[in-house]
Amino acid sequence: MNASSLLAGLIEAFQHPIDPEAAKIAFTPEQWRLLEGFLTPFPLRESQLIYSRGNEDKSLFLLESGRVTIHYENSEGKVRLCLISPGNLFGEASFLGRLPRKSSAQVASAGKAWMLGRIKFSEMMQRNPELAVAVTQTAAEVLANRVFNGKRRVAIS
């Protein structure tokens, strides 16, 4: 199988995101092809907890289908920060900052994500530093947009 068949749904989701505020991912066809070797498919089951606040995992997730809520727990229960839709990514703050998760991510509707873990990202930096820079810039752009739009919709994950 080639990247066009394995990542076709993901590429389509990022080329035509549901959320108008989603970052415009400008990977070239060659970058998508190379990215395939570093991403792990991550099936999403409804109500599944992907990660929780304080977790040390640093993975970045690219959402192909389904929906994911980002929230944190306060003294009165959960507070939903945002709903991530296909064509967007999440987990960017811990991925970039190497800090524990500041929020939790839970599946709102079943679907599929692709995960880029720290080990695979380290491998990417060695094998294809240009691709690693493109991924980092994309994650940073998403984080910056979420910080900038924080008063309207907080979603730093």
Side-chain angles (χ1 to χ4, degrees):
M1 281 188 156
N2 59 34
S4 62
S5 62
L6 286 179
L7 298 182
L10 181 65
I11 294 167
E12 176 67 21
F14 275 82
Q15 287 177 339
H16 305 287
I18 293 171
D19 183 354
E21 293 180 14
K24 302 299 182 226
I25 305 297
F27 293 142
T28 66
E30 177 64 10
Q31 286 173 318
W32 279 113
R33 188 189 67 71
L34 292 169
L35 194 55
E36 176 194 329
F38 299 103
L39 296 177
T40 303
F42 195 89
L44 303 173
R45 297 179 320 277
E46 194 163 332
S47 301
Q48 171 187 3
L49 187 63
I50 299 169
Y51 56 77
S52 57
R53 186 177 185 184
N55 187 289
E56 294 293 329
D57 173 65
K58 309 294 187 268
S59 298
L60 181 68
F61 296 87
L62 292 83
L63 189 59
E64 177 177 319
S65 61
R67 293 189 186 252
V68 174
T69 60
I70 305 297
H71 63 273
Y72 70 92
E73 296 82 16
N74 63 13
S75 60
E76 298 172 10
K78 291 182 181 177
V79 175
R80 184 171 117 185
L81 302 176
C82 78
L83 184 65
I84 305 292
S85 58
N88 215 330
L89 55 87
F90 60 98
E92 73 285 347
S94 292
F95 177 78
L96 292 170
R98 298 184 184 204
L99 300 170
R101 298 289 186 187
K102 299 296 182 193
S103 59
S104 299
Q106 187 168 21
V107 178
S109 62
K112 182 178 185 179
W114 293 82
M115 181 179 73
L116 176 60
R118 294 302 300 180
I119 292 171
K120 286 289 192 179
F121 184 70
S122 293
E123 182 183 326
M124 180 191 298
M125 287 190 308
Q126 291 175 347
R127 289 185 176 183
N128 194 320
E130 297 84 13
L131 181 61
V133 168
V135 168
T136 302
Q137 288 174 326
T138 299
E141 179 184 337
V142 169
L143 180 59
N145 285 336
R146 289 179 177 162
V147 169
F148 180 75
N149 293 322
K151 290 182 180 178
R152 292 187 305 134
R153 186 179 91 184
V154 178
I156 300 170
S157 58

